[in-house]
Amino acid sequence: MPDPGSAGRFGEYGGRFVPESLIPACAEVEEAFRQAWADAGFRRDLNRLLSVYAGRPTALTPAWRLSAELGVTLLLKREDLAHTGSHKINNVLGQALLAKRMGRTRLIAETGAGQHGVATATAAALLGLSATVFMGEKDMARQELNVHRMRVLGAEAVPVTSGSRTLKDATSEAMRYWVTCVDEAYYCLGSVMGPHPYPWMVREFQRVIGDEARAQCAAELPAAIPDYVVACVGGGSNAAGTFAGFADTKAQLVGVEAAGGAAIADGRVAVMHGHRSYAVQDEHGQILEAESIAAGLDYPGVGPEHAHLHDIGRARYVTVTDDEVLAAVRRLARSEGILPALESAHAVAWVIRAAEGGELPQHATVLLTLSGRGDKDTATLLEVAR
Amino acid sequence: MTATIAGTALGPHLRRRRDAGRKLLAPYLTAGVCENWTDYLRAYADNGADAIEIGLPFSEPVVDGPTVQEASHQALRRGANVRDILAELRRVRLDVPLAAMTYYHLVQRDGLGPFCANLAEAGVRGLIVPDLPLDELGALEHAAEAAEVDLVLVAAPSSTPARLRDIAQRSRGFIYAVSVMAPTGVRAELADTAGQLAARLKQSTDLPVVLGFGIATPDHAVAGARDADGVAVGSALMRAILDGDTPAQVGARVAALRDALDRAYP
């Protein structure tokens, strides 16, 4: 998984499709990131924060009972144990440090489920920056707890009332807002999407998941490398970070999308939110609203590197339904005592289906990134239970 | 209506008018915003527009402020789509050239060549794609040229001098100068950056420079046209249309803009 070059291309995907007004800002972020990433001092500062603040390395937990039930060896990479409860903190600490290095005083972000918003509010508080987080009104209603967390942390949470009032509209609004304050604000994008260098930069900040997991698998598995590496995909940052650690191995990479918003399974090539990739659209090319019980996965597009990995056959992308996801939440909770985020439960649901359906060979070894914890989803689960 | 001149390129038409001493006025309309949307085009043309910018609505209008977003969503809710819009335009005969404004997603979806050819066939001879910067123009520049559609490039207050030179060199028809670092929309004051950008562009090109974003009133138009060759007016007109103004009422707004420009720059 290489450096996408100055044009930011992953095969035919990626690029920088933004208004002329934002081009200098994107170029400045790219230049700053290239310098920072090559700077041992920056890497040291980031690694220290990841270690003493975010709680890295996160554990690799064998799912003992579920593995026995399914006849496979399932290892969980526990991003749910990272500070703020999801993998989002890895990327945000990296970008917030970069923003400081660039002399910026404010972070702008978009958020769907609220996890990226909470992570951004957290990093802003830690580093003495202010934060403005755009969130669809619909997502705000179903993730009230995270909205409150952001505000307690000192961030401004701005409801977005346009379009479908979800993540895609929050992303558009954050980009519009960025234009108005590029000189003092840094756009802290939450996934492997947006204009170059974001898809690449976010993958690099998330590759800590894959690198750690690879070393942990080497200690845990006789063959060192798992047969399958599985992660859920909305924009796809936890999957991109996980896959990056195993790209040069023979492990089969599997990305799991929500059936109601499957950009790769059901989408077509699109140019949206600064990059070319796949997105779900109607017959006239209008982007459709995606539906998923997980607010973080109802984004109708996907990061450009995933589109490329799909095209070249290095990763495959599958879908699971909301019902399968809910069943997976209960099963993991009751067999392992771990309540996964609804997003992460997509990956669990596919492993259960593939193992029980015979698609996974007996004794297959599976690494699954549990991208976040399910506390934020208890209101949704309660509603479903009623 | 008189026979269409929409089939001729934008550039020569605007240059001729500019060279005759006239300040250019380019009003914007979101296609499909209401059933009689083409009547507004006629009102624009009859009241002093030099070119008309036609927005082809997209679900993710990232460059647009609240008013044009609302207009786009209203058009989409009515079922507007590029194919039907172009079919309706084929039946319209105007005496001003038309330029489409839309997002790159809709342009590339069925292929750049077919998209540009369809525009030209409908009499639209200019194309503005605000989310397609210089660096990504590539194939569209060639497809537009082959279809004899002027690909109008956008310049911003943040553009570097080198980029402004490239934009001036590669733009066709005119240059769209964005007055302010913000989305489209009505503002109380015209930004200081507006005149500065127009003046910088005028130093490096003979192409007409049309200033847009935030120009709502006759006073704005007059101020904006001081350093530029003309102005584009979008949200102020779309707000009126969304609020129920008839074509005649909106035509009167265009006439007021025209009149102010003509008085200020006789």
PDB file of all heavy atoms in Angstrom, chain B residues 81-93:
ATOM      1  N   ASN B  81     -33.351  16.110 -13.707  1.00  0.00           N
ATOM      2  CA  ASN B  81     -32.118  15.383 -14.021  1.00  0.00           C
ATOM      3  C   ASN B  81     -31.536  15.961 -15.305  1.00  0.00           C
ATOM      4  O   ASN B  81     -32.231  16.655 -16.057  1.00  0.00           O
ATOM      5  CB  ASN B  81     -32.377  13.876 -14.155  1.00  0.00           C
ATOM      6  CG  ASN B  81     -33.333  13.557 -15.281  1.00  0.00           C
ATOM      7  OD1 ASN B  81     -32.976  13.622 -16.448  1.00  0.00           O
ATOM      8  ND2 ASN B  81     -34.582  13.235 -14.928  1.00  0.00           N
ATOM      9  N   VAL B  82     -30.274  15.685 -15.538  1.00  0.00           N
ATOM     10  CA  VAL B  82     -29.551  16.329 -16.642  1.00  0.00           C
ATOM     11  C   VAL B  82     -30.228  16.045 -17.980  1.00  0.00           C
ATOM     12  O   VAL B  82     -30.410  16.946 -18.806  1.00  0.00           O
ATOM     13  CB  VAL B  82     -28.073  15.862 -16.664  1.00  0.00           C
ATOM     14  CG1 VAL B  82     -27.360  16.404 -17.897  1.00  0.00           C
ATOM     15  CG2 VAL B  82     -27.359  16.321 -15.391  1.00  0.00           C
ATOM     16  N   ARG B  83     -30.612  14.808 -18.191  1.00  0.00           N
ATOM     17  CA  ARG B  83     -31.196  14.439 -19.491  1.00  0.00           C
ATOM     18  C   ARG B  83     -32.448  15.261 -19.787  1.00  0.00           C
ATOM     19  O   ARG B  83     -32.589  15.845 -20.868  1.00  0.00           O
ATOM     20  CB  ARG B  83     -31.530  12.934 -19.466  1.00  0.00           C
ATOM     21  CG  ARG B  83     -31.931  12.370 -20.811  1.00  0.00           C
ATOM     22  CD  ARG B  83     -32.477  10.962 -20.650  1.00  0.00           C
ATOM     23  NE  ARG B  83     -33.611  10.961 -19.733  1.00  0.00           N
ATOM     24  CZ  ARG B  83     -33.885   9.967 -18.880  1.00  0.00           C
ATOM     25  NH1 ARG B  83     -33.121   8.907 -18.818  1.00  0.00           N
ATOM     26  NH2 ARG B  83     -34.934  10.038 -18.081  1.00  0.00           N
ATOM     27  N   ASP B  84     -33.353  15.331 -18.825  1.00  0.00           N
ATOM     28  CA  ASP B  84     -34.605  16.064 -19.046  1.00  0.00           C
ATOM     29  C   ASP B  84     -34.378  17.580 -19.153  1.00  0.00           C
ATOM     30  O   ASP B  84     -35.052  18.260 -19.925  1.00  0.00           O
ATOM     31  CB  ASP B  84     -35.604  15.775 -17.920  1.00  0.00           C
ATOM     32  CG  ASP B  84     -36.072  14.322 -17.939  1.00  0.00           C
ATOM     33  OD1 ASP B  84     -35.799  13.628 -18.952  1.00  0.00           O
ATOM     34  OD2 ASP B  84     -36.688  13.881 -16.954  1.00  0.00           O
ATOM     35  N   ILE B  85     -33.423  18.073 -18.353  1.00  0.00           N
ATOM     36  CA  ILE B  85     -33.120  19.510 -18.404  1.00  0.00           C
ATOM     37  C   ILE B  85     -32.615  19.888 -19.800  1.00  0.00           C
ATOM     38  O   ILE B  85     -33.059  20.880 -20.395  1.00  0.00           O
ATOM     39  CB  ILE B  85     -32.074  19.879 -17.330  1.00  0.00           C
ATOM     40  CG1 ILE B  85     -32.719  19.839 -15.940  1.00  0.00           C
ATOM     41  CG2 ILE B  85     -31.457  21.250 -17.599  1.00  0.00           C
ATOM     42  CD1 ILE B  85     -31.717  19.830 -14.801  1.00  0.00           C
ATOM     43  N   LEU B  86     -31.701  19.083 -20.324  1.00  0.00           N
ATOM     44  CA  LEU B  86     -31.171  19.393 -21.660  1.00  0.00           C
ATOM     45  C   LEU B  86     -32.262  19.259 -22.721  1.00  0.00           C
ATOM     46  O   LEU B  86     -32.306  20.039 -23.686  1.00  0.00           O
ATOM     47  CB  LEU B  86     -29.964  18.503 -21.986  1.00  0.00           C
ATOM     48  CG  LEU B  86     -28.728  18.728 -21.097  1.00  0.00           C
ATOM     49  CD1 LEU B  86     -27.560  17.869 -21.567  1.00  0.00           C
ATOM     50  CD2 LEU B  86     -28.315  20.199 -21.062  1.00  0.00           C
ATOM     51  N   ALA B  87     -33.163  18.315 -22.528  1.00  0.00           N
ATOM     52  CA  ALA B  87     -34.271  18.171 -23.482  1.00  0.00           C
ATOM     53  C   ALA B  87     -35.146  19.427 -23.472  1.00  0.00           C
ATOM     54  O   ALA B  87     -35.574  19.912 -24.526  1.00  0.00           O
ATOM     55  CB  ALA B  87     -35.105  16.936 -23.133  1.00  0.00           C
ATOM     56  N   GLU B  88     -35.384  19.967 -22.283  1.00  0.00           N
ATOM     57  CA  GLU B  88     -36.192  21.200 -22.203  1.00  0.00           C
ATOM     58  C   GLU B  88     -35.447  22.380 -22.825  1.00  0.00           C
ATOM     59  O   GLU B  88     -36.043  23.227 -23.488  1.00  0.00           O
ATOM     60  CB  GLU B  88     -36.548  21.511 -20.740  1.00  0.00           C
ATOM     61  CG  GLU B  88     -37.644  20.616 -20.202  1.00  0.00           C
ATOM     62  CD  GLU B  88     -38.084  21.037 -18.811  1.00  0.00           C
ATOM     63  OE1 GLU B  88     -38.846  22.005 -18.694  1.00  0.00           O
ATOM     64  OE2 GLU B  88     -37.646  20.385 -17.834  1.00  0.00           O
ATOM     65  N   LEU B  89     -34.134  22.422 -22.589  1.00  0.00           N
ATOM     66  CA  LEU B  89     -33.350  23.541 -23.134  1.00  0.00           C
ATOM     67  C   LEU B  89     -33.343  23.539 -24.661  1.00  0.00           C
ATOM     68  O   LEU B  89     -33.279  24.590 -25.292  1.00  0.00           O
ATOM     69  CB  LEU B  89     -31.912  23.483 -22.615  1.00  0.00           C
ATOM     70  CG  LEU B  89     -31.692  24.037 -21.202  1.00  0.00           C
ATOM     71  CD1 LEU B  89     -30.244  23.861 -20.784  1.00  0.00           C
ATOM     72  CD2 LEU B  89     -32.097  25.513 -21.121  1.00  0.00           C
ATOM     73  N   ARG B  90     -33.406  22.325 -25.248  1.00  0.00           N
ATOM     74  CA  ARG B  90     -33.414  22.249 -26.715  1.00  0.00           C
ATOM     75  C   ARG B  90     -34.597  23.010 -27.300  1.00  0.00           C
ATOM     76  O   ARG B  90     -34.565  23.444 -28.436  1.00  0.00           O
ATOM     77  CB  ARG B  90     -33.481  20.776 -27.159  1.00  0.00           C
ATOM     78  CG  ARG B  90     -32.118  20.176 -27.325  1.00  0.00           C
ATOM     79  CD  ARG B  90     -32.198  18.748 -27.862  1.00  0.00           C
ATOM     80  NE  ARG B  90     -31.166  17.975 -27.181  1.00  0.00           N
ATOM     81  CZ  ARG B  90     -31.375  17.044 -26.278  1.00  0.00           C
ATOM     82  NH1 ARG B  90     -32.602  16.706 -25.950  1.00  0.00           N
ATOM     83  NH2 ARG B  90     -30.372  16.435 -25.704  1.00  0.00           N
ATOM     84  N   ARG B  91     -35.650  23.116 -26.517  1.00  0.00           N
ATOM     85  CA  ARG B  91     -36.863  23.789 -27.019  1.00  0.00           C
ATOM     86  C   ARG B  91     -36.854  25.287 -26.735  1.00  0.00           C
ATOM     87  O   ARG B  91     -37.779  25.989 -27.130  1.00  0.00           O
ATOM     88  CB  ARG B  91     -38.098  23.152 -26.374  1.00  0.00           C
ATOM     89  CG  ARG B  91     -38.299  21.697 -26.780  1.00  0.00           C
ATOM     90  CD  ARG B  91     -39.679  21.195 -26.386  1.00  0.00           C
ATOM     91  NE  ARG B  91     -39.849  21.074 -24.944  1.00  0.00           N
ATOM     92  CZ  ARG B  91     -39.569  19.959 -24.253  1.00  0.00           C
ATOM     93  NH1 ARG B  91     -39.099  18.896 -24.890  1.00  0.00           N
ATOM     94  NH2 ARG B  91     -39.759  19.915 -22.951  1.00  0.00           N
ATOM     95  N   VAL B  92     -35.831  25.760 -26.029  1.00  0.00           N
ATOM     96  CA  VAL B  92     -35.798  27.188 -25.665  1.00  0.00           C
ATOM     97  C   VAL B  92     -34.947  27.956 -26.670  1.00  0.00           C
ATOM     98  O   VAL B  92     -33.871  27.500 -27.042  1.00  0.00           O
ATOM     99  CB  VAL B  92     -35.199  27.365 -24.250  1.00  0.00           C
ATOM    100  CG1 VAL B  92     -35.081  28.840 -23.898  1.00  0.00           C
ATOM    101  CG2 VAL B  92     -36.057  26.653 -23.228  1.00  0.00           C
ATOM    102  N   ARG B  93     -35.443  29.053 -27.107  1.00  0.00           N
ATOM    103  CA  ARG B  93     -34.677  29.886 -28.049  1.00  0.00           C
ATOM    104  C   ARG B  93     -34.416  31.236 -27.401  1.00  0.00           C
ATOM    105  O   ARG B  93     -35.360  31.974 -27.105  1.00  0.00           O
ATOM    106  CB  ARG B  93     -35.458  30.067 -29.350  1.00  0.00           C
ATOM    107  CG  ARG B  93     -35.533  28.828 -30.196  1.00  0.00           C
ATOM    108  CD  ARG B  93     -34.162  28.521 -30.796  1.00  0.00           C
ATOM    109  NE  ARG B  93     -34.124  27.251 -31.474  1.00  0.00           N
ATOM    110  CZ  ARG B  93     -33.658  26.121 -30.931  1.00  0.00           C
ATOM    111  NH1 ARG B  93     -33.212  26.122 -29.683  1.00  0.00           N
ATOM    112  NH2 ARG B  93     -33.637  25.007 -31.612  1.00  0.00           N
TER     113      ARG B  93
END
